[in-house]
Amino acid sequence: MYDQSSHTFLNFKGYGAVHEADHPADDFRENAWDDCRTTVEQTAAFLAAKAGIDASSTVLEVGDDCECLLIYLAQWFGCRGEGIFESAEFVRFAQDLGTNQRHRLDVGFRQASVMRLPYEPGSFTHVVSHGALHKVPDKPHSYAEIRRVLRSGGVFAFSDFYRPRASVSERTRTEVYDKFGWNDGYTLLKYHSALEEAGFEISSVLNVTGFLRRTFEGNAEAARARAEQMADAAARDKMLAFSSSCEEVQTAIDHGEVGWAIVVVRKLDAPGRKSS
């Protein structure tokens, strides 16, 4: 069943409204976001809309050593915030990126882990993340840390890989999970229960696997085109290998072995107790 009000596929399986789709929801296209935007930019816009980020927000980004959401959010809304990354090199890159904006942004970046966030309780109104949390070895502990630094009623919004089925083929595990650093992951039902156990109330869980597939399809095509222009044989082979890996992800998605979701939850005052 598709809920037009929330742009979400809903499947009721005894857990209340469990947002699990048999067919991917094209929520990015439905909300008229331009295909010319980068994947990160489109994700930032979508998360901001779902999470209610505005000029009054104080945002923590848990990053993945790639292009950061926080720069876009600060540009668009004038919000304050910090981003954490595992890589010191990417922290320097993000700092330079923030400094080189036309207008000064009230953001900062530091090297830190979501397993031990260097902030006082209640420091942020929002925590956002894009494609980073599937690499965390202890998800429940990371959720507890995120909950700790959120204010009462604060919002945690993220996009992440999930595992649609209990088991995957050996080829998918070798060519996709291992190569892209994805662990076994949660199913959408497991995300739902783990976040509730951590003290969050589920706002929405949206299956956007179709968006992930389009992203990897574009990456594969771009890599092949770039390889054709390379004179160095070794560099060309590496680029073609990357293109092939992107095609493996598309195949895994088509086989129902890889999924991507956007999850939005709100901090409850006490774990296990829903707000009235």
Side-chain angles (χ1 to χ4, degrees), residues 148-167:
R148 180 183 66 80
V149 302
L150 275 172
R151 298 177 190 172
S152 177
V155 176
F156 172 32
F158 64 95
S159 69
D160 205 4
F161 153 79
Y162 75 91
R163 179 170 47 85
R165 57 175 59 175
S167 62

Side-chain angles (χ1 to χ4, degrees), residues 15-16 192 196 200-202 268-276:
Y15 288 82
H192 191 284
E196 284 193 331
F200 292 100
E201 183 175 31
I202 308 297
L268 296 174
D269 289 336
R273 181 187 304 168
K274 288 192 176 183
S275 58
S276 58

Side-chain angles (χ1 to χ4, degrees), residues 162-240:
Y162 75 91
R163 179 170 47 85
R165 57 175 59 175
S167 62
V168 299
S169 67
E170 186 59 33
R171 182 177 182 87
T172 293
R173 181 165 299 282
T174 301
E175 297 298 324
V176 177
Y177 282 53
D178 292 348
K179 281 191 176 180
F180 285 89
W182 295 347
N183 58 28
D184 280 345
Y186 282 168
T187 63
L188 288 185
L189 289 175
K190 180 59 179 176
Y191 266 119
H192 191 284
S193 60
L195 287 162
E196 284 193 331
E197 290 170 6
F200 292 100
E201 183 175 31
I202 308 297
S203 296
S204 61
V205 182
L206 297 97
N207 178 350
V208 291
T209 306
F211 178 70
L212 180 70
R213 195 190 191 288
R214 292 196 301 273
T215 298
F216 275 93
E217 184 178 9
N219 288 344
E221 293 174 355
R224 284 196 301 271
R226 186 173 179 185
E228 291 175 358
Q229 300 173 357
M230 290 180 165
D232 182 83
R236 183 169 61 250
D237 288 345
K238 287 182 180 179
M239 191 60 63
L240 289 173

Side-chain angles (χ1 to χ4, degrees), residues 22-42:
D22 292 327
H23 304 286
D26 287 335
D27 293 280
F28 293 91
R29 290 182 185 273
E30 286 170 11
N31 286 276
W33 281 319
D34 191 344
D35 282 345
C36 292
R37 291 186 177 188
T38 67
T39 300
V40 175
E41 192 175 1
Q42 291 184 68

Side-chain angles (χ1 to χ4, degrees), residues 16 35 49 64 66 79 104 125 133 158 173 184 217 225 228 261 263:
D35 282 345
D64 183 37
C66 61
C79 58
R104 183 181 180 278
T125 61
L133 296 174
F158 64 95
R173 181 165 299 282
D184 280 345
E217 184 178 9
E228 291 175 358
V263 181

